[in-house]
Amino acid sequence: MTGIKPIVVGVDGSEAASAAVAWAARAAAALSLPLHIVTVVHIPAFYYTEPYLAESFKEELEDTAKARLGSARVHAKQTVDEPLDITTEQHEGKVSQTLIELSANAHMVVLGSRGHGEFTGLLVGSTTSAVAAHGHCPLVVVRGRTMDGQPPTEGPIVVGVDGSESSKAAVEVAFEQAAARGASLVAVNVWSDVSVQPSLGASPEDPLWSSIQTGEEVVLSERLAGYQERYPDVTVERIVARDRPVRVLSEFAEKAQLIVVGSRGRGGFKGMLLGSTSNALLHTADCPVMIVRPES
């Protein structure tokens, strides 16, 4: 793929993948980008011990994959009113490796929160972690707050902010998303220090607590500097709070249409990629979660 980078969405025939296609189609329309729908045919190694079985099994998988791509293409077209530049592609191999390779020429990669077949256990397994850790573009895991798992289409864009490079990249992407969707932006900086506890007599009025709060407000202002001038139509709400990041971000996710976080952070966001905050958001957030890695 050359030229304008597309939004890449992975499909496996599951309902979660269907929701991901719809989200990706809307994102492509909002950003005026092409949509590239991919599926991966993976043949377990043990099938190759019986060549005849492997060949027949492969043909069946390829036929299923072709039908899957066709259905996804129709679903994407029906999701938005605007005409979309849609391409489809079938791959053979390992899912995570394929998606990582495709991410090098993608604006973002979009996946469903749960899947089956070659995407089984996508959320809690190795695929999402691998793409988040080694992908070359933002990864979106599509989640919803309704019983059918459909992602919300209204509400603000929420971005987790700290002093890390990942956070800087996340802020830029979050502004882009808010501007494209005509949404407001909620910038959240959550700090937590075990040495400052109410049980030890600390309170918001104490000098130590106040100095940390002031410092984090400065961090937030520095991270947002310049973006409001570049995106004057985006209304920004600034939140600085002392709490656990996952708790605050999860609360905002209840009313957001997208939450954006960096792949790694510092302070309260330390270990964002593999730690409790990112894992909790990917498993429980009531809206799609975007993980953004800093440019290497």
Side-chain angles (χ1 to χ4, degrees), residues 192-223:
S192 178
D193 191 333
V194 295
S195 67
V196 184
Q197 295 291 338
S199 61
L200 301 179
S203 69
E205 291 74 29
D206 288 336
L208 178 57
W209 189 324
S210 178
S211 65
I212 296 176
Q213 179 78 9
T214 300
E216 295 304 321
E217 290 173 354
V218 171
V219 168
L220 182 57
S221 294
E222 290 177 346
R223 274 292 174 251

Side-chain angles (χ1 to χ4, degrees), residues 19-35:
V21 169
W23 191 94
R26 295 189 186 99
L31 295 168
S32 298
L33 293 174
L35 178 64

Side-chain angles (χ1 to χ4, degrees), residues 127-135 139 263 273 291 293:
T127 299
T128 297
S129 296
V131 177
H134 304 292
L139 167 68
S263 60
L273 179 57
I291 297 179
R293 300 179 68 244

Side-chain angles (χ1 to χ4, degrees), residues 23 108-112 138-142 258 288-291:
W23 191 94
M108 70 177 72
V109 171
V110 183
L111 301 174
L139 167 68
V140 178
V141 176
V142 177
L258 175 68
V289 178
M290 177 186 287
I291 297 179

